[in-house]
Amino acid sequence: MKITEKPQPININEVIKNSGVKAAIFDLDGTMLDNNSFHLKSWIEYLKDMGRNISEEEFNASFNGRTNKDVIQYIFNQPMNAEEILRYSLEKEAVYRKIYKPYIRPVNGLIAFLEILKNKNISMAIATSGIQPNIDFMFEHIPIKSYFNFVVNSGHITYGKPHPEIYLKTASLLNVKPENCLVFEDAIVGIDSAKAAGMKVVAVATTEPKENLHGADFIVDDFTFLL
């Protein structure tokens, strides 16, 4: 079953049974939190004093789903050392958390869907290009930490999405074969990463037009389509 145009409810029981799903792996930004517009705003705010402007199109093409290391090297068009990358990352993400804090909430249906997976004894993990302070920020405001066995972030990997490393590492930690993992992603590079790892993918259409998400196995507007 492949859904590429008009999202509709998915029979998650059939997907789990037919695909032999034993684990669910979630991206964070844009997947569990509909927050990419706030990341765009925070990059615009952070970069304005540097005289660097970015558009939504550039953000979606070159920022969304990627590690801060990759984004910062893209912005400055040169390799950066670890200290420079960390400084820029912490500064920018502090701007993001300040801007997003009054608005933070999970994507519709997320918590109910996590409860369904828990009741089906599906192991769960997060595989995010983000940094630990943003993960802590989410858990502080959204009570979902207990659902996840592992959280893998950009500090745990060498290669960012679309490289499959982050998803292969997460599957290994879960002790589940890649073909038995179901990934939830919003970004094209994230979908490509999970598919390269040999996993099934549900695209959550919070950020990209649905026609751009054809690389996924399924497409939904939000998690209410999986309840």
Side-chain angles (χ1 to χ4, degrees), residues 4 21 59 78 97 130 176 179 184 188:
T4 56
V21 173
F59 174 81
Q78 64 183 31
R97 292 191 297 274
V176 176
E179 58 266 31
F184 298 85
I188 296 170

Side-chain angles (χ1 to χ4, degrees), residues 64-75:
N64 186 26
R66 301 180 188 274
T67 64
N68 278 352
K69 174 184 176 182
D70 289 342
V71 171
I72 289 166
Q73 292 185 148
Y74 165 80
I75 290 170

Side-chain angles (χ1 to χ4, degrees), residues 3 13 16 41 53 73 79 111 151 154 173 188 192 208 214:
I3 301 170
N13 293 315
I16 290 173
K41 290 176 183 177
N53 297 315
Q73 292 185 148
I111 296 177
V151 179
S154 59
L173 288 169
I188 296 170
D192 291 344
E208 292 280 352
H214 54 81

Side-chain angles (χ1 to χ4, degrees), residues 66-70 85 89 127-132 135 151-160 165-166:
R66 301 180 188 274
T67 64
N68 278 352
K69 174 184 176 182
D70 289 342
I85 290 169
S89 294
T128 174
S129 298
I131 63 174
Q132 191 62 45
I135 298 166
V151 179
V152 181
N153 65 45
S154 59
H156 300 132
I157 57 173
T158 301
Y159 304 103
E165 180 187 7
I166 193 167

Side-chain angles (χ1 to χ4, degrees), residues 81-149:
N81 65 46
E83 290 183 2
E84 291 174 315
I85 290 169
L86 179 61
R87 177 168 63 85
Y88 288 127
S89 294
L90 293 177
E91 289 174 354
K92 180 270 168 184
E93 299 307 339
V95 174
Y96 153 75
R97 292 191 297 274
K98 180 179 180 180
I99 291 175
Y100 188 45
K101 184 177 179 179
Y103 305 96
I104 186 171
R105 66 180 184 84
V107 168
N108 290 339
L110 173 66
I111 296 177
F113 181 60
L114 294 177
E115 189 66 21
I116 288 173
L117 293 179
K118 176 184 176 182
N119 290 336
K120 293 182 180 297
N121 295 314
I122 300 295
S123 299
M124 288 179 272
I126 295 172
T128 174
S129 298
I131 63 174
Q132 191 62 45
N134 285 0
I135 298 166
D136 296 337
F137 170 70
M138 178 181 72
F139 286 150
E140 179 184 350
H141 296 280
I142 311 296
I144 58 175
K145 185 176 183 178
S146 63
Y147 288 102
F148 299 101
N149 299 95

Side-chain angles (χ1 to χ4, degrees), residues 153-191:
N153 65 45
S154 59
H156 300 132
I157 57 173
T158 301
Y159 304 103
K161 302 172 185 178
H163 193 283
E165 180 187 7
I166 193 167
Y167 282 114
L168 292 173
K169 183 178 183 69
T170 305
S172 177
L173 288 169
L174 290 168
N175 197 28
V176 176
K177 294 180 180 179
E179 58 266 31
N180 298 125
C181 294
L182 184 63
V183 169
F184 298 85
E185 265 283 359
D186 73 298
I188 296 170
V189 293
I191 293 169

Side-chain angles (χ1 to χ4, degrees), residues 2-4 185 191 195 201-203 213-219:
K2 184 150 179 149
I3 301 170
T4 56
E185 265 283 359
I191 293 169
K195 295 301 289 184
V201 183
V202 177
L213 301 173
H214 54 81
D217 298 280
F218 312 98
I219 302 175

